[in-house]
Amino acid sequence: MDQLQNWLSDNKIPIGDWIAEFVDAINGNGFFDAVSTGLGALIDGFTNVLESVPPFVLILVIAVGVFVFKRNWKLSVFIALALLFIFNQGYWTETLETLSLIIYATAVCMIIGVPVGIAAAHRPWLFNALRPLLDLMQTLPTFVYLIPTLVLFGLGAVPGLISTIIFALPAPIRLTHLGVSSVPEPLLEAGKAFGASKSQLLWKVELPHALPTIMAGLTQCIMLSLSMVVIAALVGAGGLGVPVVRALNSVRIDMGFEAGLSIVVLAIILDRICRPADADKRKV
């Protein structure tokens, strides 16, 4: 038994060395520098557009847009008051930086996650192949894959964005797969009986039935992205995670509580905006 233990300890599988060699091999060809520059410009550009609008005007535009979209004046008033609270606490700029990062991360996750989830629902072998990878993406500590993203993309918002996408992407994939695969078989048989093609079944039967679950995946993706703001701040992404990190380093209870409460308020705002209409009628 001792010999077996010594043999196992002396013959370590060099997984870490393989990953390090792989990262070193793909780094330095200029591709990731170009990606970092492009994504950084997009994020900074969108943030600058938001910051160029006077706060009260932007709050009014958001409140009116929510009313037009949701037809719920109580929700519009609540969101306006919540945004005014964030402005009152002095974290308006940080909130806009966080919002920009979340919007880009969520958009990328949904653009990738929904088609992959649909494909996995139609091909069980694909989902079985993806499941270990999805489990790894959600359970691997974020600091582990933050290291290679930091090496490849450098300091700034881009490594935070990439890490956020890796962490949040499994949610829309899993929930889209769940929604599409749970479509009742009699409903599919009825569509086939009326001569619907595969694409018509997808767009007119499967996706409408799975839409609530897909929207739950959207909300889950936003919440997971918000949980990464502090991690993103550690690599220079900015946003509401910066005052949280500063409060932790300087033991500032007031700053940490104010910034954390602003994150919570932003999460509630985004959750209420993405909530289905029937849920809005039950609760603001």
Side-chain angles (χ1 to χ4, degrees), residues 30-70:
F31 171 76
F32 292 98
D33 293 336
V35 172
S36 179
T37 302
L39 290 177
L42 288 175
I43 297 173
D44 293 339
F46 185 68
T47 304
N48 293 334
V49 170
L50 294 177
E51 293 178 350
S52 65
V53 182
F56 288 173
V57 175
L58 184 57
I59 292 174
L60 179 61
V61 170
I62 293 175
V64 173
V66 169
F67 176 76
V68 172
F69 179 68
K70 306 289 285 187

Side-chain angles (χ1 to χ4, degrees), residues 114-131 173 176-177 180-181 198 202 206:
V114 173
V116 172
I118 294 173
H122 291 161
R123 300 167 180 83
W125 63 267
L126 178 59
F127 182 71
N128 292 332
L130 288 175
R131 185 181 299 172
I173 294 178
T176 301
H177 167 267
V180 175
S181 60
K198 290 184 178 180
L202 174 64
E206 293 178 328

Side-chain angles (χ1 to χ4, degrees), residues 104-117 127 130 133-139 145 161-177 214 216-218 220-225 227-228:
Y104 275 103
T106 303
V108 173
C109 287
M110 296 304 293
I111 290 173
I112 298 175
V114 173
V116 172
F127 182 71
L130 288 175
L133 179 60
L134 298 177
D135 294 339
L136 179 66
M137 293 167 65
Q138 287 189 306
T139 58
Y145 52 74
L161 174 65
I162 300 300
S163 300
T164 302
I165 292 172
I166 294 174
F167 183 68
L169 182 59
I173 294 178
R174 289 184 184 275
L175 287 173
T176 301
H177 167 267
I214 295 175
L218 172 64
Q220 188 73 13
C221 184
I222 292 174
M223 297 302 108
L224 290 173
S225 299
S227 68
M228 289 289 292

Side-chain angles (χ1 to χ4, degrees), residues 188 191 194-208:
L188 295 175
F194 282 98
S197 62
K198 290 184 178 180
S199 61
Q200 290 174 331
L201 284 175
L202 174 64
W203 290 102
K204 296 184 178 182
V205 178
E206 293 178 328
L207 288 182

Side-chain angles (χ1 to χ4, degrees):
M1 183 64 67
D2 292 338
Q3 293 180 349
L4 178 60
Q5 292 179 353
N6 293 333
W7 182 84
L8 285 175
S9 61
D10 293 338
N11 294 274
K12 174 184 175 181
I13 300 175
I15 297 178
D17 294 337
W18 293 342
I19 299 297
E21 292 175 0
F22 175 74
V23 172
D24 292 337
I26 63 177
N27 192 20
N29 58 8
F31 171 76
F32 292 98
D33 293 336
V35 172
S36 179
T37 302
L39 290 177
L42 288 175
I43 297 173
D44 293 339
F46 185 68
T47 304
N48 293 334
V49 170
L50 294 177
E51 293 178 350
S52 65
V53 182
F56 288 173
V57 175
L58 184 57
I59 292 174
L60 179 61
V61 170
I62 293 175
V64 173
V66 169
F67 176 76
V68 172
F69 179 68
K70 306 289 285 187
R71 293 298 179 181
N72 190 333
W73 67 270
K74 294 181 180 180
L75 179 61
S76 298
V77 172
F78 168 78
I79 289 177
L81 293 176
L83 292 174
L84 287 173
F85 171 79
I86 293 176
F87 179 80
N88 172 262
Q89 294 300 302
Y91 294 101
W92 181 252
T93 301
E94 291 83 357
T95 299
L96 295 182
E97 292 174 351
T98 297
L99 183 62
S100 178
L101 184 65
I102 291 173
I103 288 175
Y104 275 103
T106 303
V108 173
C109 287
M110 296 304 293
I111 290 173
I112 298 175
V114 173
V116 172
I118 294 173
H122 291 161
R123 300 167 180 83
W125 63 267
L126 178 59
F127 182 71
N128 292 332
L130 288 175
R131 185 181 299 172
L133 179 60
L134 298 177
D135 294 339
L136 179 66
M137 293 167 65
Q138 287 189 306
T139 58
L140 191 68
T142 52
F143 286 100
V144 175
Y145 52 74
L146 192 64
I147 298 172
T149 56
L150 183 61
V151 172
L152 294 174
F153 299 100
L155 287 172
V158 177
L161 174 65
I162 300 300
S163 300
T164 302
I165 292 172
I166 294 174
F167 183 68
L169 182 59
I173 294 178
R174 289 184 184 275
L175 287 173
T176 301
H177 167 267
L178 176 63
V180 175
S181 60
S182 62
V183 176
E185 190 64 29
L187 195 61
L188 295 175
E189 294 296 335
K192 295 177 182 177
F194 282 98
S197 62
K198 290 184 178 180
S199 61
Q200 290 174 331
L201 284 175
L202 174 64
W203 290 102
K204 296 184 178 182
V205 178
E206 293 178 328
L207 288 182
H209 185 274
L211 185 59
T213 308
I214 295 175
M215 292 302 297
L218 172 64
T219 304
Q220 188 73 13
C221 184
I222 292 174
M223 297 302 108
L224 290 173
S225 299
L226 269 170
S227 68
M228 289 289 292
V229 295
V230 177
I231 304 298
L234 294 176
V235 293
L240 289 169
V242 174
V244 174
V245 174
R246 290 176 180 171
L248 180 63
N249 293 332
S250 58
V251 198
R252 289 279 306 276
I253 299 176
D254 55 340
M255 181 186 296
F257 190 83
E258 290 170 355
L261 191 58
S262 298
I263 295 174
V264 172
V265 172
L266 181 60
I268 295 174
I269 291 173
L270 295 175
D271 175 70
R272 300 297 165 83
I273 291 176
C274 297
R275 178 178 296 182
D278 57 346
D280 291 334
K281 295 178 181 178
R282 296 192 300 267
K283 182 179 178 182
V284 177

